[in-house]
Amino acid sequence: MKLNEIFLSIQGESLSSGFPTIFVRFTGCNLRCSYCDTTYAYNEGKEMTPEDVFKEVCKYYCKRVCLTGGEPLLQNRLLQLIELMEDYIVTIETNGSININNLQLKNKKHSFVLDIKAPSSKCSDQMLMENFKFLEDKDEIKFVIGDRADYEWSKQIISSFHKKGTITFSPVFRKLDYAKMVRWILEDKLNVRFQLQLHKIIWDPHKTGV
Ligand code: SF4
């Protein structure tokens, strides 16, 4: 497996938002989203074994880990790494284009955060909607919304495919008027979670390793 960075920070997104979390960022992604903020993880990194990665994770005090990227599901031996972290709350952030059923999570503390890329990402045509079938209540689905068209598209996807898992609507940082998007959600009586990316509010939005 190829690693870009491992660091401790505050989780800025998802249901774990606000909790100290160890981020394990893998190198490589099969998508090229228009708003990607981790382009540095496309190629840079070093080869490590799952055991080496786990040793790094164990250096930190906290028991929450976020596997991210890049795209974690492109890594070989990912399941071995996840199985080493049996005592940890682990979230696997995946970009929606790869079959999540290939990674069988047996531990109830381990869950997916499935990103669904809306049209303004320029990658929506690569989303694998079959993934909705494999989600459980503990999992999350995140829609990154760049404009009203993305919002309408996301509503449509939810009504067509959603069965289980918490839905989050996350505006593209500083692109959409946040208050306006909250009004849309309330007017449409959507049972979705609105989120801002905490780490971009706390730190310089271009800073890496936070
Ligand atoms: S899936 Fe994530 S890492 Fe890959 S291009 Fe999109 S935003 Fe960037």
Side-chain angles (χ1 to χ4, degrees):
M1 44 183 39
K2 195 168 178 185
L3 271 295
N4 177 271
E5 57 183 352
I6 301 174
F7 60 93
L8 176 70
S9 187
I10 295 286
Q11 176 58 274
E13 309 187 60
S14 80
L15 290 173
S16 304
S17 182
F19 282 106
T21 299
I22 304 157
F23 290 83
V24 175
R25 188 182 306 288
F26 294 99
T27 302
C29 187
N30 56 319
L31 301 185
R32 291 292 181 267
C33 302
S34 59
Y35 47 71
C36 182
D37 56 4
T38 49
T39 54
Y40 60 92
Y42 288 167
N43 299 303
E44 292 160 33
K46 65 171 180 179
E47 289 293 336
M48 293 175 78
T49 65
E51 293 76 15
D52 291 337
V53 176
F54 185 55
K55 256 188 232 159
E56 289 298 312
V57 164
C58 290
K59 289 180 182 168
Y60 298 102
Y61 76 93
C62 87
K63 288 285 187 183
R64 287 176 187 268
V65 173
C66 174
L67 302 182
T68 188
E71 170 49 55
L73 296 189
L74 294 176
Q75 301 295 324
N76 54 22
R77 303 190 65 202
L78 186 66
L79 192 58
Q80 281 100 319
L81 172 62
I82 292 169
E83 285 175 353
L84 287 171
M85 297 191 283
E86 58 179 344
D87 296 331
Y88 287 72
I89 297 169
V90 180
T91 52
I92 300 115
E93 288 188 346
T94 179
N95 68 23
S97 67
I98 296 179
N99 191 325
I100 62 169
N101 203 34
N102 293 334
L103 189 75
Q104 296 283 331
L105 301 181
K106 299 196 178 78
N107 189 327
K108 293 290 170 210
K109 288 173 150 174
H110 299 170
S111 61
F112 287 108
V113 177
L114 179 70
D115 253 29
I116 299 292
K117 309 293 184 187
S120 74
S121 71
K122 309 275 186 233
C123 291
S124 58
D125 58 341
Q126 294 183 67
M127 295 299 97
L128 198 65
M129 298 310 173
E130 194 189 2
N131 275 331
F132 277 91
K133 279 196 317 210
F134 309 124
L135 293 172
E136 299 179 27
D137 288 332
K138 64 186 167 79
D139 297 316
E140 299 176 48
I141 308 119
K142 182 177 78 179
F143 292 86
V144 177
I145 312 267
D147 53 28
R148 180 79 199 201
D150 280 358
Y151 173 83
E152 293 298 335
W153 182 91
S154 302
K155 279 198 317 182
Q156 191 56 47
I157 295 298
I158 292 165
S159 79
S160 302
F161 299 103
H162 177 246
K163 290 185 176 65
K164 291 182 176 179
T166 302
I167 300 165
T168 292
F169 276 13
S170 182
V172 177
F173 187 68
R174 286 185 184 155
K175 191 170 172 207
L176 253 183
D177 178 334
Y178 302 148
K180 197 192 267 184
M181 187 171 141
V182 169
R183 274 200 303 278
W184 296 344
I185 290 171
L186 297 177
E187 280 162 15
D188 288 342
K189 302 187 173 81
L190 299 186
N191 186 25
V192 304
R193 193 180 149 265
F194 174 82
Q195 103 176 348
L196 297 177
Q197 294 173 293
L198 269 189
H199 51 294
K200 293 191 181 172
I201 296 168
I202 298 171
W203 290 285
D204 175 342
H206 302 297
K207 194 169 162 58
T208 60
V210 294

